[in-house]
C-alpha cells in the first residue's frame, strides 16, 4: 500500500479536488486498493465542512464527485503515516516543513512536480476568484495525477 496525503490551505478547494481526481486516475489504472489517498489543509478553518460548492460544481462537470468529502486539518501523525505528502503551493509546503519531524522531511513535495504538460509548479488558490480558477485547478491536478499514477505504477 502506498499512502498519499494531498495538502492545501483550507481543504475545501484544491486538495479535495486533487483527492477525487487522483483517486479516479488510480482506479482507471487498475490500482485501487494499492493506494490510500487522503487530503487535508494546513489550516483548521473548515474542519468538518463540505468542499466549496464552486469546486464541487466544476468537478461534477468533469465527472468527479466531491460530495462526501469533509474538511480535515493536517495532524502530527500524518507525517509518519503517509509515504508522499504533496502540497498544492509553496506556502503550504513551507507550513508542512515547519511542522514535519526531520526524519520524514523527504516525504514532502509539490504535487505539480508530477505534471508533464504544464509549466506551473503551484496550483493557484481559486478561493477568492471566479469560476475559471476552479477549472484551472482541475486542469493542473488532472495533469499531475496522470503523471503521479505512472510513478505509482512503477512502485507497486
Ligand atoms: P484551498 O482554498 O486551500 O484550496 O482549500 C482555500 C479555502 C479557504 C480559504 C483559503 C483558501 N480561507 O481563507 O478560508
Amino acid at each position: 500500500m502506498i499512502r498519499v496525503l494531498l495538502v492545501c490551505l483550507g481543504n475545501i478547494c484544491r486538495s479535495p479536488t486533487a483527492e477525487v481526481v487522483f483517486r479516479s486516475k488510480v482506479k482507471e489504472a487498475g490500482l485501487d486498493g494499492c493506494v490510500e489517498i487522503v487530503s487535508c489543509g494546513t489550516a483548521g478553518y473548515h474542519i468538518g465542512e463540505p468542499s466549496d460548492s464552486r469546486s464541487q460544481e466544476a468537478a461534477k462537470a468533469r465527472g468527479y464527485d466531491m460530495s462526501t468529502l469533509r474538511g480535515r486539518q493536517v495532524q502530527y501523525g500524518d507525517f509518519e503515516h503517509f509515504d508522499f505528502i504533496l502540497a498544492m503551493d509553496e506556502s503550504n509546503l513551507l507550513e508542512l516543513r515547519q511542522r514535519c519531524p526531520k526524519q520524514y522531511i523527504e516525504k514532502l513535495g509539490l504535487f505539480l512536480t508530477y505534471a508533464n504538460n504544464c509549466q506551473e509548479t503551484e496550483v493557484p488558490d481559486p478561493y477568492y476568484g471566479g469560476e475559471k480558477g476552479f477549472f484551472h485547478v482541475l486542469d493542473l491536478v488532472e495533469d499531475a495525477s496522470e503523471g503521479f499514477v505512472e510513478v505509482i505504477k512503477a512502485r507497486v
Side-chain angles (χ1 to χ4, degrees), residues 12 40 44 94 97 101-102 107 119 128 141 144-145:
I12 54 166
C40 69
L94 186 63
R97 281 209 183 104
K102 271 204 183 74
K107 297 180 177 187
Q119 301 306 312
Y128 294 105
V141 303
S145 294

Side-chain angles (χ1 to χ4, degrees), residues 1-118:
M1 180 70 101
I2 297 173
R3 298 183 172 90
V4 179
L5 183 64
L6 301 166
V7 187
C8 63
L9 174 62
N11 192 219
I12 54 166
C13 300
R14 291 167 293 174
S15 64
T17 301
E19 178 181 336
V20 293
V21 170
F22 182 51
R23 184 170 293 126
S24 161
K25 303 289 179 194
V26 163
K27 195 171 176 193
E28 268 175 37
L31 296 172
D32 42 341
C34 305
V35 192
E36 179 187 344
I37 307 163
V38 176
S39 69
C40 69
T42 57
Y45 313 137
H46 300 285
I47 294 172
E49 292 178 15
S51 299
D52 190 289
S53 57
R54 298 163 297 173
S55 289
Q56 291 200 49
E57 284 303 312
K60 202 166 156 188
R62 293 205 188 168
Y64 307 107
D65 179 15
M66 296 174 68
S67 66
T68 61
L69 303 185
R70 294 295 179 266
R72 175 186 185 280
Q73 187 176 18
V74 67
Q75 295 165 15
Y76 187 74
D78 291 343
F79 295 106
E80 181 184 2
H81 180 77
F82 291 96
D83 303 305
F84 291 89
I85 302 172
L86 303 175
M88 297 299 126
D89 67 26
E90 292 284 1
S91 156
N92 311 145
L93 183 58
L94 186 63
E95 282 287 334
L96 290 170
R97 281 209 183 104
Q98 286 167 352
R99 296 182 211 183
C100 184
K102 271 204 183 74
Q103 71 263 39
Y104 304 129
I105 213 91
E106 297 300 320
K107 297 180 177 187
L108 305 183
L110 287 172
F111 190 45
L112 289 194
T113 303
Y114 298 97
N116 294 312
N117 304 297
C118 67

Side-chain angles (χ1 to χ4, degrees), residues 109-150:
L110 287 172
F111 190 45
L112 289 194
T113 303
Y114 298 97
N116 294 312
N117 304 297
C118 67
Q119 301 306 312
E120 284 110 312
T121 57
E122 301 180 278
V123 184
D125 188 347
Y127 191 68
Y128 294 105
E131 188 191 53
K132 255 176 89 174
F134 291 85
F135 284 97
H136 187 50
V137 168
L138 278 161
D139 291 337
L140 296 173
V141 303
E142 283 177 335
D143 188 352
S145 294
E146 284 162 16
F148 194 36
V149 161
E150 295 306 315

